[in-house]
Amino acid sequence: MTAVSDNQEVKFSKKEFRQEVMRDIRYLSLLARDFPNISQVTTEIINLEAILHLPKPTEHFLADLHGENEAFQHVLRNASGNIKRKVEELFGGTMREQDKRDLCTLIYYPEQKLELVKQHDTQLEDYYQATLHRLITICRNVSSKYTRSKVRKSLPKEFAYIIEELLHESHDARNKQAYYQVIVQTIIDTKRADHFIIAICNLIQRLAIDQLHILGDIYDRGPGAHLIMDTLSAYHNLDIQWGNHDIIWMGAAGGNRVCMAAVLRMALRYGNMQTLEEGYAINLVPLATFALEAYADDDCELFAPKCLGKKQPTLKQRRLMAKMHKAMAVLQFKLECQMYLRHPEWRMEDRALLLNCDFEKGTIVIDGVEHLLKDNNFPTIDPKHPERLTDEERELTERLRRSFRISERLQRHVACLLSRGSMYNVVNSNLLFHAAIPMDEEGRLKSVDVLGGVPLSGRDLMERIDQTVRAAFDEAAEEEEKSTARDFFWYLWCGPDSPLFHKSKMATFERYFIEDKSTWKEVKGAYYQLRDSAAVCDYIMDCFDVVGEHRHIINGHVPVHVSNGESPIKADGKLMVIDGGFAEAYHNTTGIAGYTLVYHSRGFQLVQHEPFTSTSDAISKGTDIVSSIQVVELTGHREMVAETDKGREIRAQIAELKKLLFAYRKGIIKERS
């Protein structure tokens, strides 16, 4: 279809315009089904033209959530402090600080806060009156960027008519003041105030953020990845850029045995069993039984879990977890060896480290240097064939694999990752991806051939990887293609040229078994060395056809070490790295508890968060995440929908509707009533 400008009928002669219409006659005939006459076409054109002149809706960027559900939920509910700022703007001079905190807490956690209010407030009717009016004022403010139609679609059905009436109350309409007051009073008198408050608080949360971007790593470390995925699966406007921790869970769900082993190993390493057991009902009894038998006389001291959070396991539980942890680590290293030998095109045979071990001496050779193993008790390893599984390990692997495959909730969450996720995204002049774009030392895109085909780089590489990931779950794909695709999840997890990793190696084995920390070093790929350069970032964005006066790359993956003075804003503002360490495991390293990025109609704001205490404290004490805001970039004017990707889509729709209007007026297509 030919793109048409807003002033097409002016720019083209009547003859040329008619030719354009005739070329698109089949499409226009289909469009006529939705807009069967001139009246409906002109109404839609007027509506779309008006939308172009609304302020740009707010976008919210988060990365590297790592299972920290409570912190994630709080940041989502308070829109990275956006709701708190609205309350301050609207009521800053008329409400006490404590009352403003209580109002914010009510918006974030309406059900729980109302229960507390009813326990302590003796003047409930006065509370309801004041609160309802304040909530309506806030809701009117956050809905002002949207059309009535869009707001209407977001309204809870039960109160849709009432909320719509109250949102469009005019202070000048004195004749209706009594009408509006009666609505509020009747809500209270009919004992529906609680339900109405909950509905309007949830509506405020929804309207405060129009679009949510998750830049990968939802899984691992923290205990609530499954709860985060429940929220994301139901979110109204979302896109996800896969991270390496998401990919390894997708691989496990798709039947990749080594991905499954790694997922279990990491969960045991951090003492985080909630996602596996409570979230996805993975049966770990066979693993516990196997570990107790195989490592009965081994204290597995090196594998003691690094338990985080307030709920700590008992000593007996820690001992069992240590044995299970070692069992899965050994199983992972065996399966890794098999994977690398099966895929020589990856050029990762040097990572088949069990083949470099001398189990009689208790040593391993890495890069020509012999190192002593810190643990040499491997009852399940055959020194002559260390990569082979025992019969018991093979049976255990298949039982665990089946458990992952039949987990309905896990498969549903992976379906969400596939339907709403991708390797990269370009939205409103921002290039989003989790980790890196493979590059060489000279700053050029690196050609990568790990899929057994033509070497690819940049966008072509990302899109081919995206297709391969989907092939693993495609029922129509040939089994050989699906098998290769399933294996490839492991390369994406730890391959040197994987855009989700891009380091020389993942030194898991070395960290477990070798004292010499020089062997632990993971050399970052060229992208991480070059990304501070504005010219390099511009080159990458050019390769991905990112256009616009204010364009950026937005990443996660590598935590920003704020405590060491590192800045998340790089390359003269062209690159923003928003992994500040959401996971508790990273707090000591980064010195903070994560970043979120907010892009509203006036520009970008980077929000730096301090550690979140707990949801219960937020509700009972009104505590909020302590956040500091850094203005990254102001556009110099208020950005409108017309300047966004959505605006370009709308202009294209208007152009096609103008063609249809011409066709109706000239009798080329007949109107229908």
Side-chain angles (χ1 to χ4, degrees):
M1 226 178 306
T2 306
V4 185
S5 72
D6 294 342
N7 301 315
Q8 179 151 27
E9 290 178 83
V10 176
K11 291 185 177 181
F12 287 96
S13 68
K14 287 184 178 180
K15 180 179 179 181
E16 290 171 329
F17 192 73
R18 185 183 182 90
Q19 288 172 344
E20 284 282 321
V21 170
M22 296 309 295
R23 270 200 296 269
D24 291 341
I25 194 67
R26 292 180 64 185
Y27 167 74
L28 294 175
S29 297
L30 293 173
L31 189 62
R33 296 179 183 178
D34 295 324
F35 304 98
N37 52 53
I38 288 174
S39 175
Q40 291 193 26
V41 172
T42 55
T43 299
E44 184 66 7
I45 290 173
I46 293 165
N47 176 51
L48 292 174
E49 288 282 8
I51 290 172
L52 290 173
H53 294 85
L54 284 171
K56 174 197 171 299
T58 302
E59 299 172 65
H60 202 184
F61 301 79
L62 292 86
D64 299 271
L65 305 174
H66 284 300
E68 295 293 344
N69 180 59
E70 284 200 4
F72 164 73
Q73 293 290 348
H74 191 80
V75 166
L76 203 61
R77 288 168 184 265
N78 77 2
S80 284
N82 196 36
I83 290 173
K84 189 176 182 179
R85 290 191 292 276
K86 294 288 184 187
V87 170
E88 188 62 39
E89 288 170 11
L90 294 168
F91 307 110
T94 60
M95 289 177 67
R96 296 178 305 169
E97 287 300 318
Q98 183 60 50
D99 291 338
K100 285 185 285 188
R101 280 199 298 273
D102 288 342
L103 181 58
C104 287
T105 303
L106 176 68
I107 295 170
Y108 308 157
Y109 305 100
E111 297 95 336
Q112 300 92 325
K113 186 63 178 177
L114 283 170
E115 286 301 315
L116 285 178
V117 169
K118 287 188 288 186
Q119 290 172 21
H120 301 104
D121 198 319
T122 57
Q123 303 294 324
L124 267 183
E125 183 161 331
D126 291 345
Y127 172 82
Y128 284 141
Q129 280 277 359
T131 300
L132 284 167
H133 283 292
R134 287 164 179 165
L135 290 175
I136 291 162
T137 300
I138 296 167
C139 195
R140 189 181 299 124
N141 182 280
V142 297
S143 66
S144 62
K145 288 185 176 183
Y146 308 109
T147 63
R148 285 194 182 192
S149 174
K150 184 164 184 174
V151 173
R152 190 178 297 123
K153 291 173 184 175
S154 304
L155 297 176
K157 290 182 180 179
E158 185 179 6
F159 298 108
Y161 173 76
I162 299 171
I163 293 175
E164 191 166 10
E165 285 290 292
L166 293 171
L167 286 183
H168 300 108
E169 170 193 355
S170 171
H171 294 294
D172 298 327
R174 294 183 181 179
N175 294 335
K176 276 197 166 185
Q177 287 301 309
Y179 168 71
Y180 294 124
Q181 184 57 42
V182 167
I183 291 176
V184 172
Q185 187 60 50
T186 306
I187 291 169
I188 298 169
D189 291 344
T190 56
K191 309 298 182 186
R192 299 296 289 167
D194 282 12
H195 294 84
F196 188 85
I197 286 171
I198 291 166
I200 204 163
C201 287
N202 289 333
L203 179 61
I204 291 168
Q205 289 182 35
R206 174 166 180 164
L207 295 176
I209 296 295
D210 181 62
Q211 187 168 10
L212 179 62
H213 308 284
I214 303 293
L215 276 76
D217 279 3
I218 298 161
Y219 283 89
D220 294 326
R221 305 289 191 268
H226 55 294
L227 300 174
I228 294 174
M229 284 303 306
D230 282 342
T231 299
L232 295 179
S233 296
Y235 204 78
H236 58 277
N237 193 3
L238 164 76
D239 58 79
I240 300 170
Q241 287 70 58
W242 302 320
N244 57 327
H245 285 270
D246 308 317
I247 279 290
I248 201 165
W249 273 84
M250 293 166 74
N256 182 310
R257 293 169 178 81
V258 66
C259 287
M260 178 194 70
V263 160
L264 288 162
R265 177 190 61 77
M266 283 186 285
L268 289 158
R269 181 177 179 84
Y270 288 95
N272 164 29
M273 310 311 293
Q274 291 97 314
T275 297
L276 284 165
E277 294 182 306
E278 299 170 19
Y280 295 135
I282 304 299
N283 182 11
L284 298 180
V285 172
L287 173 57
T289 303
F290 170 82
L292 285 170
E293 291 177 357
Y295 299 98
D297 301 323
D298 190 338
D299 61 12
C300 300
E301 184 180 352
L302 292 180
F303 297 87
K306 300 178 179 180
C307 298
L308 302 170
K310 296 167 186 169
K311 189 178 178 182
Q312 293 289 316
T314 64
L315 181 61
K316 186 175 181 180
Q317 288 172 328
R318 290 176 67 89
R319 287 172 177 167
L320 174 59
M321 289 167 71
K323 294 180 188 295
M324 294 166 69
H325 183 189
K326 183 172 183 179
M328 288 316 303
V330 172
L331 187 58
Q332 175 188 320
F333 298 136
K334 287 186 175 186
L335 292 167
E336 274 191 70
C337 289
Q338 296 176 16
M339 187 72 79
Y340 300 139
L341 296 175
R342 190 158 65 245
H343 290 283
E345 71 276 12
W346 296 355
R347 295 176 290 281
M348 291 181 69
E349 294 96 327
D350 62 318
R351 297 304 299 160
L353 294 178
L354 290 182
L355 303 182
N356 297 347
C357 291
D358 185 326
F359 293 100
E360 289 186 7
K361 294 170 59 180
T363 60
I364 183 173
V365 176
I366 296 179
D367 296 328
V369 179
E370 188 175 67
H371 301 273
L372 190 67
L373 295 171
K374 292 195 288 184
D375 182 346
N376 193 35
N377 181 32
F378 299 112
T380 68
I381 286 182
D382 176 358
K384 293 181 180 178
H385 302 285
E387 79 285 2
R388 290 184 183 175
L389 272 57
T390 65
D391 290 342
E392 293 79 9
E393 285 175 322
R394 194 173 297 107
E395 181 184 354
L396 170 65
T397 302
E398 291 312 307
R399 292 183 68 176
L400 289 170
R401 182 175 180 269
R402 173 173 167 74
S403 198
F404 275 82
R405 295 288 291 149
I406 65 172
S407 171
E408 187 275 334
R409 192 180 188 184
L410 174 59
Q411 296 300 328
R412 178 160 36 89
H413 287 168
V414 169
C416 172
L417 289 168
L418 288 168
S419 65
R420 307 184 81 170
S422 57
M423 283 295 294
Y424 78 97
N425 194 12
V426 177
V427 56
N428 293 330
S429 299
N430 297 305
L431 173 59
L432 317 180
F433 53 88
H434 174 65
I437 301 297
M439 304 186 78
D440 61 25
E441 287 71 16
E442 282 72 42
R444 296 185 298 266
L445 295 180
K446 185 175 182 180
S447 291
V448 176
D449 181 13
V450 290
L451 286 164
V454 178
L456 299 170
S457 64
R459 184 167 61 179
D460 291 339
L461 174 64
M462 298 289 264
E463 290 178 353
R464 175 62 195 283
I465 289 172
D466 195 294
Q467 294 164 10
T468 302
V469 167
R470 296 178 196 284
F473 297 92
D474 183 0
E475 293 181 1
E478 298 289 337
E479 185 52 41
E480 183 178 351
E481 181 186 6
K482 289 173 69 173
S483 177
T484 301
R486 279 195 298 267
D487 282 0
F488 192 63
F489 283 96
W490 185 254
Y491 185 87
L492 290 174
W493 164 249
C494 62
D497 290 324
S498 164
L500 301 182
F501 183 62
H502 198 40
K503 297 180 185 177
S504 60
K505 65 181 181 182
M506 186 175 286
T508 306
F509 185 96
E510 290 90 334
R511 291 174 184 273
Y512 278 117
F513 293 114
I514 300 176
E515 197 74 51
D516 183 358
K517 291 187 178 181
S518 67
T519 65
W520 300 7
K521 188 172 180 58
E522 300 171 351
V523 180
K524 294 177 182 176
Y527 171 81
Y528 301 110
Q529 318 303 324
L530 298 168
R531 65 180 183 174
D532 286 346
S533 164
V536 168
C537 289
D538 277 329
Y539 165 64
I540 292 171
M541 287 188 281
D542 287 343
C543 292
F544 280 80
D545 292 333
V546 183
V547 297
E549 182 184 355
H550 302 279
R551 60 180 189 168
H552 311 88
I553 296 173
I554 305 176
N555 287 167
H557 187 60
V558 179
V560 177
H561 294 73
V562 177
S563 55
N564 294 339
E566 185 180 359
S567 171
I569 312 301
K570 303 176 185 296
D572 298 333
K574 294 181 183 292
L575 171 67
M576 291 175 267
V577 182
I578 60 170
D579 180 6
F582 241 99
E584 187 177 345
Y586 295 135
H587 290 180
N588 291 335
T589 303
T590 63
I592 61 170
Y595 288 112
T596 52
L597 187 66
V598 178
Y599 179 23
H600 50 66
S601 59
R602 299 194 185 278
F604 283 92
Q605 289 181 329
L606 187 72
V607 185
Q608 178 179 306
H609 302 289
E610 298 302 317
F612 182 55
T613 53
S614 69
T615 300
S616 59
D617 279 355
I619 296 164
S620 61
K621 301 175 185 177
T623 57
D624 207 339
I625 291 182
V626 179
S627 304
S628 57
I629 297 171
Q630 177 180 350
V631 176
V632 178
E633 181 178 275
L634 294 178
T635 55
H637 68 284
R638 194 164 200 196
E639 207 170 345
M640 298 295 165
V641 170
E643 300 169 73
T644 67
D645 292 347
K646 185 65 177 176
R648 283 185 280 277
E649 290 176 18
I650 290 173
R651 283 195 296 273
Q653 291 171 23
I654 291 171
E656 301 304 337
L657 287 167
K658 286 182 176 180
K659 289 185 188 179
L660 180 59
L661 183 61
F662 178 89
Y664 280 144
R665 285 176 171 163
K666 298 300 180 183
I668 299 169
I669 296 176
K670 303 300 181 185
E671 290 185 82
R672 290 179 291 116
S673 60

